[in-house]
């Protein structure tokens, strides 16, 4: 049977997490359809060039601008009946939407898969990534969210999918969008960055994050943070890396003034190279770091910014 | 306003959980258990709504084994008025939990349900959304701010790109994120008082729901371990290693 992927997008472009999700779908079957619900009639056409997608199912309506789950989940329920698997990225978009669709289909969702064993069996991290469970699903339609960092993305181009429209838009009188504060930055996004430099409680203040930013600017890096730094108000919530924040796996992750709690490691320990800068030589972060520098960050960071 | 707060008994967040030696599941023998941290935030939010005069009654509910009474007592000590234990086998799936909670909703008719966005055992992040679907109610997940205005709630949500505010009609389901509040600790007098509060027990098999498991755990393993790295002596050495050894910059 065919595999359905729910596209995450911002109405102007398809989000990279969708491309990782399609990569996971390819391990389940070759006939991959992409569901695009948007207010932009151009978007489904531009999505039709994505590698490995054979059909785009497009639903275009002004009410779909904010893709609230009260409207989207019933639509997915209707579309899903002709598929064996329905996949979405395990981002806040997919985490919000998919369990709602799953319950409507009376299916027990498999969250945040990091591996595909066969059509029914998946690997997923549990207990903040302390363990990896292999889970088999016996539901006939499987709803799945995908950990983007575990699957290399397909290309945005190279495909030529047919575009088919799905017109039963569901009206939603239960919830409404009020506003959004989306962080704007010239730096790469955390989940797409090749290099990330993150600060923790050791940074002492939000102002001190400029020490990280000047290094980030030189390396083309994104800036992240621990929960403690977000809770303390140094930086906004979208910086948080970890079990309950963002999962990242860049080529290089530099943790500065971060102790290395298991909840933080859960979000970054699959990075290729890990550097830790911490003044406490016993900090647990050093147990996962390829290169550890025991130093006061207020000395090390300016020197690093200068010499890198 | 009546608030229903579903909570869960989980391993304490400081415990590093390991697989059983036969890899059939995780090893939970003799580990410390606690109220899931996101559920503590849910209880706190409900208690604050009661303290501010918005809420009149808070009911804590859990689906689990009789051992979960301990966590319900904690919720009572933190300010919930009464509690319901829906006795089930160990670790029911989120869909089953959501179906059981939906039955309690129908009996209690609360105006608001506040629960954690995820439990730190399975890290599923499903129950609130599933409950909303079953009850055909609006959902406001990953909340960092909750403002009740008459028959609606304005909820600010932590999303990947920043913050989103939505307005939902009540009754609604709200799931908590870390920044919603900082939970209090239970005081000794309140722990004593909680022992006298009502704790009702029901059996999940009497609710008339499908409790069958849809998934099986085939095995549980440790993730691949990272090889220990080295300590560098200076910023110069760090830059040299990153350039010439790791080729990461
Ligand atoms: C339910 C739950 C979910 C959570 N989710 C997450 C999550 O998603 N992400 C996350 O990160 N955490 C999460 N946490 C929190 C986690 O348990 C830790 O509390 C947190 O990661 C600690 O942040 P930190 O390392 O910045 O602070 P700390 O643990 O306080 O560490 C600060 C470090 O800075 C070092 N330091 C201080 N000053 C200097 C200096 N001048 N120079 C060099 N080093 C210095 C110290 O030696 C120390 O190691 C969660 C916790 C719970 C309960």
């Amino acid at each position: 049977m065919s595999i359905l992927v729910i596209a995450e997008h911002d109405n102007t472009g398809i989000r990279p997490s969708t491309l990782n999700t399609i990569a996971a779908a390819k391990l389940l079957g070759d006939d991959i359809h992409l569901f695009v619900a948007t207010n932009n009639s151009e978007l489904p056409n531009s999505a039709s060039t994505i590698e490995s997608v054979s059909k785009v199912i497009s639903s275009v309506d002004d009410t779909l601008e904010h893709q609230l789950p009260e409207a989207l989940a019933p639509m997915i329920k209707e579309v899903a009946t002709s598929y064996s698997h329905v996949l979405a990225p395990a981002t806040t978009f997919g985490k919000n939407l998919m369990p709602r669709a799953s319950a409507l289909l009376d299916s027990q969702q498999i969250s945040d898969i990091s591996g595909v064993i066969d059509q029914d069996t998946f690997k997923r991290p549990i207990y903040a990534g302390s363990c990896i469970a292999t889970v088999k699903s016996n539901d006939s339609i499987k709803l799945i969210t995908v950990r983007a960092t575990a699957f290399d993305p397909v290309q945005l181009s190279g495909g030529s999918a047919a575009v088919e429209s799905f017109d039963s838009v569901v009206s939603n009188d239960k919830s409404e969008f009020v506003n959004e504060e989306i962080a704007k930055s010239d730096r790469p996004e955390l989940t797409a960055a090749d290099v990330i430099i993150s600060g923790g409680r050791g940074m002492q203040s939000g102002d001190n994050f400029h020490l990280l930013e000047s290094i980030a600017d030189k390396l083309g890096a994104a800036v992240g943070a621990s929960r403690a730094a977000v809770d303390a108000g140094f930086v906004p919530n979208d910086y948080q890396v970890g079990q309950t924040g963002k999962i990242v796996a860049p080529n290089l992750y530099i943790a500065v003034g971060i102790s290395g709690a298991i909840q933080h490691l859960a979000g970054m320990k699959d990075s290729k190279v890990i550097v830790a800068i911490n003044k406490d030589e016993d900090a647990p972060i050093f147990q996962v770091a390829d290169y550890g520098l025991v130093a006061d960050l207020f000395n090390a960071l300016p020197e690093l910014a200068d010499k890198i | 306003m009546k608030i229903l707060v579903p909570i869960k008994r989980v391993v304490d967040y400081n415990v590093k959980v390991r697989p059983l030696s036969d890899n059939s599941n995780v090893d939970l023998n003799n580990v410390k258990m606690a109220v899931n941290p996101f559920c503590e935030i849910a209880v706190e939010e409900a208690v604050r709504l009661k303290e501010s005069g918005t809420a009149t009654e808070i009911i804590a509910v859990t689906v689990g084994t009789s051992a979960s009474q301990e966590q319900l007592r904690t919720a009572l000590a933190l300010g919930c008025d009464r509690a319901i234990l829906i006795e089930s086998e160990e670790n029911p799936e989120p869909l089953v939990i959501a179906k059981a909670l939906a039955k309690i909703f129908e009996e209690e008719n609360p105006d608001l349900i506040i629960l954690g966005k995820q439990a730190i055992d399975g890290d599923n992040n499903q129950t609130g959304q599933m409950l909303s679907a079953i009850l055909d109610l609006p959902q406001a997940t990953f909340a960092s701010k909750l403002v009740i205005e008459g028959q609606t709630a304005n909820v600010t949500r932590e999303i990947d790109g920043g913050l989103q505010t939505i307005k939902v009609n009540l009754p609604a389901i709200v799931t908590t994120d870390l920044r919603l509040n900082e939970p209090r600790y239970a005081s000794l007098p309140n722990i004593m008082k909680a022992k006298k509060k009502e704790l009702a027990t029901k059996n999940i098999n009497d609710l008339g729901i499908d409790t069958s498991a849809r998934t099986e755990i085939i095995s549980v393993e440790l993730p691949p371990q990272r090889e220990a790295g080295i300590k560098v002596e200076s910023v110069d050495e760090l830059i040299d290693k990153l350039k010439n050894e790791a080729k990461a910059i």
Side-chain angles (χ1 to χ4, degrees):
Chain A
M1 263 172 111
S2 313
I3 316 295
L4 183 68
V5 171
I6 311 299
E8 177 174 11
H9 61 79
D10 57 9
N11 293 309
T12 49
I14 297 291
R15 309 266 313 146
S17 58
T18 307
L19 305 178
N20 304 91
T21 306
I22 293 169
K26 280 176 74 174
L27 302 172
L28 291 163
D30 334 307
D31 193 24
I32 298 169
H33 299 180
L34 186 67
F35 183 69
V36 183
T38 175
N39 65 346
N40 173 7
S41 58
E42 296 300 316
L43 189 65
N45 287 330
S46 67
S48 69
T49 63
I50 297 175
E51 182 195 335
S52 304
V53 175
S54 53
K55 193 197 278 179
V56 171
I57 300 172
S58 112
S59 190
V60 180
D61 194 278
D62 283 345
T63 62
L64 292 171
E65 182 180 359
H66 301 293
Q67 304 165 64
L68 295 178
E70 290 80 358
L72 224 46
M75 293 167 65
I76 292 172
K77 178 192 174 187
E78 206 179 316
V79 178
T81 47
S82 30
Y83 296 90
S84 57
H85 300 75
V86 184
L87 276 62
T91 54
T92 51
F93 164 77
K95 288 174 179 174
N96 187 35
L97 171 66
M98 289 294 273
R100 190 171 181 108
S102 198
L104 293 179
L105 287 157
D106 196 34
S107 173
Q108 173 53 55
Q109 173 176 310
I110 311 286
S111 291
D112 207 16
I113 63 161
S114 56
V116 173
I117 309 288
D118 61 36
Q119 296 280 317
D120 306 318
T121 320
F122 309 93
K123 283 194 182 289
R124 58 179 304 266
I126 54 174
Y127 291 89
S130 300
C131 294
I132 306 291
T134 301
V135 183
K136 182 167 183 283
S137 161
N138 297 317
D139 279 312
S140 54
I141 304 176
K142 298 177 206 330
L143 280 90
I144 293 168
T145 60
V146 174
R147 174 169 286 215
T149 53
F151 302 91
D152 287 335
V154 300
Q155 301 294 313
L156 257 179
S157 60
S160 57
V163 180
E164 195 175 276
S165 75
F166 172 83
D167 293 325
S168 2
V169 172
V170 172
S171 70
N172 166 26
D173 54 10
K174 299 182 179 71
S175 62
E176 74 186 74
F177 172 87
V178 178
N179 62 48
E180 226 163 44
E181 289 166 48
I182 298 297
K184 289 209 173 54
S185 165
D186 296 335
R187 292 199 189 85
E189 274 185 48
L190 264 179
T191 46
D194 204 39
V195 180
I196 295 174
I197 182 161
S198 286
R201 200 193 314 263
M203 296 302 297
Q204 287 180 15
S205 75
D207 286 345
N208 289 335
F209 266 70
H210 76 84
L211 296 168
L212 302 177
E213 283 157 9
S214 48
I215 296 168
D217 289 341
K218 288 201 169 165
L219 295 176
V223 179
S226 70
R227 173 190 174 182
V230 177
D231 281 4
F234 300 170
V235 286
N237 63 284
D238 51 280
Y239 280 51
Q240 184 181 315
V241 171
Q243 178 191 15
T244 60
K246 287 190 174 126
I247 308 294
V248 300
N251 258 324
L252 173 61
Y253 188 91
I254 308 175
V256 184
I258 292 178
S259 62
I262 173 168
Q263 292 85 4
H264 188 77
L265 303 185
M268 46 63 79
K269 70 177 157 51
D270 293 330
S271 304
K272 199 148 165 239
V273 177
I274 298 176
V275 169
I277 302 176
N278 197 303
K279 69 177 180 190
D280 171 10
E281 63 175 338
D282 296 322
I285 189 78
F286 288 124
Q287 290 163 21
V288 300
D290 299 283
Y291 303 108
L293 177 63
V294 180
D296 190 310
L297 66 91
F298 295 103
N299 299 326
L301 289 180
E303 190 182 343
L304 195 58
D306 203 37
K307 293 180 173 167
I308 214 159
Chain B
M1 164 183 269
K2 194 166 165 180
I3 305 179
L4 187 66
V5 184
I7 65 167
K8 191 175 187 194
R9 171 184 170 91
V10 298
V11 169
D12 182 89
Y13 79 96
N14 286 307
V15 175
K16 190 156 167 41
V17 174
R18 298 181 55 88
L20 286 167
S21 56
D22 67 357
N23 291 106
S24 60
N25 209 324
V26 290
D27 184 358
L28 297 184
N29 293 311
N30 303 317
V31 299
K32 189 176 167 210
M33 302 298 283
V35 177
N36 177 46
F38 288 100
C39 305
E40 287 180 334
I41 298 172
V43 169
E44 177 68 31
E45 195 66 14
V47 171
R48 289 187 190 186
L49 285 169
K50 191 171 172 198
E51 285 169 346
S52 69
T54 308
T56 47
E57 187 183 22
I58 309 168
I59 307 155
V61 55
T62 193
V63 184
T65 65
S66 60
S68 299
Q69 287 184 30
E70 189 187 342
Q71 281 63 43
L72 288 174
R73 288 286 170 209
T74 304
L76 292 170
L78 289 167
C80 295
D81 297 296
R82 57 189 171 94
I84 304 168
L85 168 66
I86 304 168
E87 254 193 295
S88 77
E89 313 215 313
E90 207 114 31
N91 287 316
E93 292 173 350
L95 185 61
V96 173
I97 296 175
K99 286 176 181 173
L101 294 175
K103 290 291 174 188
I104 302 303
F105 177 91
E106 284 162 10
E107 281 172 25
E108 298 286 350
N109 280 308
D111 305 282
L112 189 62
I113 304 182
I114 312 179
L115 70 170
K117 77 165 179 180
Q118 82 192 65
I120 59 166
D121 48 8
D123 282 333
N124 281 305
N125 198 329
Q126 297 176 357
T127 304
Q129 296 87 314
M130 288 182 158
L131 178 60
S132 316
I134 294 166
L135 294 172
D136 197 23
L137 291 176
Q139 67 185 52
T141 55
F142 326 146
S144 64
K145 194 173 170 207
L146 167 63
V147 181
I148 306 290
E149 284 171 359
Q151 278 311 297
T152 61
N154 264 41
V155 182
T156 303
R157 311 177 51 234
E158 293 199 356
I159 58 170
D160 288 336
L163 295 170
Q164 179 190 63
T165 302
I166 58 171
K167 187 179 188 159
V168 291
N169 294 336
L170 300 182
I173 283 89
V174 174
T175 77
T176 62
D177 216 319
L178 295 168
R179 259 65 63 178
L180 185 60
N181 59 52
E182 220 175 291
R184 71 194 66 190
Y185 295 97
S187 68
L188 199 56
N190 284 342
I191 293 171
M192 300 311 288
K193 264 192 246 163
K195 294 191 172 146
K196 299 204 186 74
K197 289 186 181 174
E198 178 192 329
L199 195 164
T201 302
K202 293 174 187 290
N203 192 298
I204 195 163
N205 296 317
D206 298 334
L207 296 179
I209 58 170
D210 172 11
T211 59
S212 61
R214 310 296 181 78
T215 63
E216 303 161 46
I217 294 179
I218 305 294
S219 66
V220 173
E221 279 141 23
L222 285 177
Q225 303 295 306
R226 286 188 81 96
E227 276 175 43
I230 57 159
K231 291 246 169 73
V232 293
E233 295 303 322
S234 65
V235 168
D236 288 318
E237 191 188 346
L238 177 62
I239 293 174
D240 175 62
K241 292 283 184 199
L242 287 177
K243 277 198 175 134
N244 301 316
E245 193 175 86
K247 305 207 185 322
I249 55 171

